[in-house]
Amino acid sequence: RPSEIIRTIGNVFMAEEKEILTIINKEEYEALHEKLGKVFSSSKRTRRLAIQCTDTTNDELDTRIRISNKKVTLIQKAGKWKSKVREEIEIDLPNDADVVLNVFKMLRNMLRGEKVRTAVIQTDSLIFENDDFEIKLTHQFGRTDKYNAEIEVFNTETEPEEIAEKFNIPIRLPEQTAEFWDNWSKEVNFSADELLQEDLKKLIEGYL
């Protein structure tokens, strides 16, 4: 998809993003789904499992293993959460549950402390896009259900807020703090640390 590529080395991808994330409720999600479905000729669905391995005391780094429509990636976002532009690094991984589980173990072994989080994030997303921007509606589930909309622009002259206004998407920005996302995660996600290894592997296999 269109984006500004900073550097590509082998299968390592780095890019800049310009986006906003807004929290919506189930009714708003369903209304936006219907509205965008009429405006755009098609949409793409992404079924995703992400296993986060992050120290929440550091708000500049977010590392996770991500399985999107059976494609496995190690991904890291770097930069302040309050910034609209964050660096993203991706490395492709084999489509193998044992490899995914072992990479998670390696990442987990590198982190220590009470603020380390290993959230198991499950989402089902619908993506509506053109050459200038992308709107992603996401249903996140696990312990409970949550909904959000993400607007990313590829045209540097356009702001995400302009797209939100055009499509009447409520802007309800989350607090860009480790505490906010920590509480959010505890409400909706399971923790990989709390799951038996066999159960975590079965969950991974269900997305491959």
Side-chain angles (χ1 to χ4, degrees):
R1 70 186 184 189
S3 62
E4 181 182 352
I5 297 177
I6 301 175
R7 183 175 62 188
T8 305
I9 303 177
N11 61 354
V12 180
F13 173 82
M14 301 176 66
E16 288 189 359
E17 300 175 340
K18 192 177 182 184
E19 60 186 29
I20 59 172
L21 177 71
T22 177
I23 308 302
I24 58 177
N25 57 40
K26 182 179 181 179
E27 291 73 23
E28 291 167 338
Y29 172 90
E30 292 174 346
L32 284 169
H33 183 192
E34 182 179 359
K35 179 188 297 184
L36 294 173
K38 294 177 180 178
V39 174
F40 292 82
S41 58
S42 64
S43 64
K44 294 188 298 185
R45 182 184 179 187
T46 302
R47 183 172 176 266
R48 174 175 295 169
L49 170 71
I51 306 173
Q52 185 182 37
C53 206
T54 294
D55 184 347
T56 59
T57 61
N58 181 1
D59 68 353
E60 296 186 17
L61 212 56
D62 183 349
T63 305
R64 60 188 69 190
I65 302 166
R66 191 170 70 186
I67 306 174
S68 298
N69 294 343
K70 301 186 178 183
K71 176 179 171 58
V72 188
T73 308
L74 176 62
I75 182 170
Q76 186 175 82
K77 292 187 178 184
K80 289 286 187 180
W81 287 353
K82 292 183 180 180
S83 172
K84 292 180 182 178
V85 179
R86 303 182 74 191
E87 181 182 62
E88 184 172 309
I89 306 169
E90 294 187 12
I91 302 175
D92 292 337
L93 296 177
N95 193 300
D96 186 297
D98 288 322
V99 171
V100 173
L101 191 59
N102 285 332
V103 170
F104 164 72
K105 290 179 182 178
M106 292 177 66
L107 293 173
R108 186 65 183 90
N109 289 339
M110 294 169 63
L111 296 174
R112 294 290 184 268
E114 296 180 357
K115 294 295 184 179
V116 174
R117 297 293 179 260
T118 59
V120 177
I121 306 164
Q122 300 180 79
T123 57
D124 196 350
S125 300
L126 287 168
I127 299 173
F128 304 86
E129 66 178 349
N130 57 28
D131 290 339
D132 296 322
F133 63 87
E134 171 187 287
I135 300 173
K136 179 166 67 175
L137 303 180
T138 297
H139 170 208
Q140 185 175 347
F141 54 93
R143 297 183 189 276
T144 186
D145 297 275
K146 289 182 178 291
Y147 302 85
N148 66 64
E150 187 175 359
I151 304 168
E152 181 178 356
V153 295
F154 311 130
N155 183 345
T156 56
E157 296 180 356
T158 304
E159 293 298 327
E161 290 82 358
E162 297 176 45
I163 305 302
E165 182 177 2
K166 178 179 180 180
F167 291 96
N168 197 28
I169 300 174
I171 297 182
R172 204 172 293 122
L173 301 179
E175 294 179 25
Q176 298 295 352
T177 64
E179 181 180 5
F180 176 88
W181 288 115
D182 196 26
N183 291 333
W184 172 287
S185 184
K186 288 177 182 177
E187 289 178 13
V188 67
N189 299 321
F190 297 106
S191 169
D193 287 343
E194 297 172 351
L195 297 175
L196 295 175
Q197 180 173 312
E198 303 80 43
D199 293 335
L200 181 57
K201 184 177 178 179
K202 287 180 182 178
L203 184 61
I204 292 168
E205 290 173 338
Y207 283 82
L208 293 176

